[in-house]
Amino acid sequence: MSPSLLAGVRVLSVGHTLPAMYCIPALLDLGADVTLVEAPEAQEVAARYSKFAGQFPTDSLLAGTSRCKIDLRDAIGRDAYLRMAQHVDVVLEGFRPGASARLGIDYERVKSTSPRVIYAAISGYGQAGPWRDRVGHDLNYLAASGVLHLTGDPQDVPAVPGVPFADGIAGMSAALNIVGALWRRMQTGDGCFLDIAIADGPAFLMSMEYDYFRQTGHHRRRGDTHLSGGYPWYHVFETADGRYISIAAVEPHFYARLCKTLGRSDLESQQFAAGSERRALFDAFADIFRSKSLTEWCELLDGEAVCFAPVLTPGEAMQALQPSRRSPMRLKAGATATPKDSAAVLASFGFSEDEIEVLRKRGSVV
């Protein structure tokens, strides 16, 4: 049983976007209590993404939360939200820069009655700067950071990744910053504002490419490095049964072991071959891996000091990885949860039955 590292920490989430949805289960798995404040109409998060036929994992990522529907454009509803904010440790917000101020629920307003609050605002490009008002999604942030420039076949357009990396990194970054801010508050008693820019995550991962440009004045392209598909020992190959296997034998001793296991020790001296020799090495590897099924390759390579992994389907990956996920942050929140209704949530924040009834009759809370 993993420890509840954030037991007793209460979080209020509003303006949910996908990055915030990746932050929420991380906080839940660490033991925090998370309440979502949603709009009373069809703008609530699950409804907004319902037309995308399951492409957005709102059920799994938001499971384990309590829900309260409040009209933040209504003065009484806004006051109810601000009253709730006085009882939490963390506010997690995903509005565009300036939106919360227009609603009257921004950090300055919340801090005025709750100076110890930690307010984490997730936006595309941060709360300040020339791009603060730009709208975007994961692909745009990968493009803006330079990640797409290095992703895909050198002879084709930049490849679209299969999962929202920028959103996921932003969610984890928000969770890490929140934990750090909670620790700081223990030392100083002070809350703070956390400005989480989604574009900063992929930019952080591009650090070595930025350094390369600063040092040389040149930028590398797709296929120039092993990380961008430039070498066959860090690549994906098709197997005899139409499946795929990933090879990442970067260090010379791993590469040598791979060649020996494949029965091609003659290729050991060609790890860093260039030009036509490198193309021939790609062809040799492709022919080798097409000679056996994925299962056969796994049986052959498993137990060898070779960096490989089968390219699994999501269903296969869920089964394969589940037993090894033993850290406190297991992202298991999607397993069970029944959200409380608005009345129950408000009661947990100290609202009386009469106050809840007034809010309901006015339509400020649904």
Side-chain angles (χ1 to χ4, degrees):
M1 187 87 176
S2 297
S4 294
L5 303 180
L6 295 184
V9 172
R10 200 164 198 182
V11 180
L12 196 62
S13 180
V14 65
H16 328 294
T17 56
L18 198 54
M21 284 187 252
Y22 278 110
C23 178
I24 286 169
L27 298 177
L28 285 167
D29 284 351
L30 290 172
D33 178 275
V34 181
T35 297
L36 307 186
V37 172
E38 299 177 321
E41 301 90 8
Q43 291 91 353
E44 61 205 51
V45 65
R48 273 191 284 137
Y49 294 120
S50 63
K51 295 182 179 178
F52 289 90
Q55 293 184 46
F56 290 90
T58 54
D59 289 340
S60 61
L61 293 181
L62 298 181
T65 60
S66 301
R67 313 286 180 89
C68 188
K69 296 182 180 181
I70 300 178
D71 185 356
L72 295 174
R73 292 183 174 85
D74 173 75
I76 304 300
R78 180 197 63 217
D79 289 345
Y81 169 84
L82 291 172
R83 179 173 161 184
M84 294 171 71
Q86 294 178 32
H87 296 276
V88 301
D89 301 282
V90 178
V91 171
L92 178 62
E93 181 237 281
F95 292 123
R96 296 181 194 173
S100 60
R102 290 191 292 271
L103 287 169
I105 60 168
D106 60 327
Y107 173 60
E108 294 302 324
R109 183 68 181 82
V110 173
K111 184 179 71 168
S112 67
T113 55
S114 185
R116 286 171 53 84
V117 74
I118 292 160
Y119 194 110
I122 303 178
S123 63
Y125 300 98
Q127 300 296 311
W131 285 19
R132 72 185 293 270
D133 294 321
R134 281 195 181 186
V135 296
H137 279 302
D138 192 271
L139 187 65
N140 307 126
Y141 308 127
L142 295 177
S145 64
V147 169
L148 284 190
H149 175 80
L150 291 171
T151 305
D153 190 322
Q155 308 305 318
D156 206 343
V157 299
V160 178
V163 296
F165 288 104
D167 289 345
I169 296 169
M172 291 297 101
S173 175
L176 176 61
N177 276 271
I178 287 168
V179 170
L182 288 167
W183 171 255
R184 175 180 177 271
R185 192 179 70 178
M186 287 180 60
Q187 315 307 311
T188 66
D190 298 328
C192 64
F193 180 84
L194 301 174
D195 182 3
I196 309 295
I198 304 170
D200 283 351
F204 171 72
L205 298 182
M206 285 287 291
S207 296
M208 61 182 172
E209 292 304 320
Y210 296 165
D211 286 346
Y212 181 84
F213 179 78
R214 279 193 291 265
Q215 293 167 9
T216 68
H218 301 285
H219 56 76
R220 292 185 280 208
R221 300 169 299 174
R222 293 187 299 285
D224 282 352
T225 69
H226 72 278
L227 291 176
S228 60
Y231 291 88
W233 36 263
Y234 196 90
H235 221 274
V236 176
F237 295 95
E238 187 175 6
T239 58
D241 53 347
R243 298 293 299 274
Y244 294 90
I245 188 169
S246 68
I247 300 297
V250 178
E251 293 84 356
H253 65 280
F254 282 134
Y255 176 74
R257 184 66 182 177
L258 173 65
C259 293
K260 182 177 180 180
T261 305
L262 297 179
R264 292 296 306 271
S265 295
D266 58 302
L267 299 178
E268 287 184 30
S269 63
Q270 299 180 39
Q271 181 174 5
F272 296 99
S276 60
E277 290 184 348
R278 189 188 303 177
R279 287 194 292 274
L281 191 60
F282 264 107
D283 292 340
F285 271 57
D287 289 342
I288 291 169
F289 285 109
R290 274 197 296 263
S291 68
K292 298 181 187 298
S293 70
L294 182 61
T295 299
E296 290 173 322
W297 279 121
C298 290
E299 291 173 351
L300 176 64
L301 299 178
D302 204 17
E304 298 288 342
V306 173
C307 300
F308 88 99
V311 177
L312 300 178
T313 65
E316 291 170 335
M318 285 174 62
Q319 276 204 311
L321 294 180
Q322 193 64 30
S324 66
R325 298 167 79 178
R326 310 200 192 285
S327 71
M329 197 180 298
R330 298 180 309 283
L331 297 181
K332 62 172 177 54
T336 57
T338 303
K340 303 173 186 175
D341 63 18
S342 296
V345 170
L346 289 171
S348 75
F349 278 89
F351 286 76
S352 68
E353 290 185 12
D354 290 342
E355 288 174 320
I356 294 170
E357 186 61 25
V358 169
L359 288 166
R360 275 182 158 173
K361 285 183 177 179
R362 181 185 171 90
S364 304
V365 170
V366 176

